[in-house]
Amino acid sequence: MSAHCQLTGAEPGFGNSVSHSHRRTSRRFDPNIQRKRYWLPSEGRYVRLTLSARAVKAIDIIGIEAAVARIRARGVKP
């Protein structure tokens, strides 16, 4: 599963792990990605979305219809 949120566009960030001796090694900061299934009443079907935890909370506030409209506006297929 790709670490990429369909609603917010959150994707991995990159940086370094710094040890006690201050040696640096590459690391990756992944967003908290979840697969969620929502009922879409306007289309009479379920949609399965790949969302960050922050986007799940946003859908609770704005509603699934508005969220799917935003996802489609970004050019991503829900």
Side-chain angles (χ1 to χ4, degrees):
M1 171 172 42
S2 172
H4 189 86
C5 176
Q6 290 180 306
L7 180 61
T8 64
E11 56 190 14
F14 295 89
N16 292 311
S17 291
V18 182
S19 70
H20 180 69
S21 65
H22 219 61
R23 288 182 63 99
R24 292 154 195 258
T25 54
S26 293
R27 65 159 294 177
R28 186 171 134 144
F29 296 90
D30 285 328
N32 185 3
I33 297 294
Q34 311 293 325
R35 297 239 331 145
K36 295 277 291 178
R37 194 176 81 144
Y38 289 98
W39 174 252
L40 198 56
S42 64
E43 297 181 15
R45 69 183 182 104
Y46 285 98
V47 290
R48 189 175 299 275
L49 302 175
T50 304
L51 302 168
S52 63
R54 186 178 72 174
V56 172
K57 294 172 191 172
I59 289 176
D60 290 343
I61 295 168
I62 67 172
I64 186 62
E65 297 288 344
V68 169
R70 287 186 191 182
I71 290 170
R72 288 184 173 138
R74 290 184 70 237
V76 179
K77 184 174 181 258

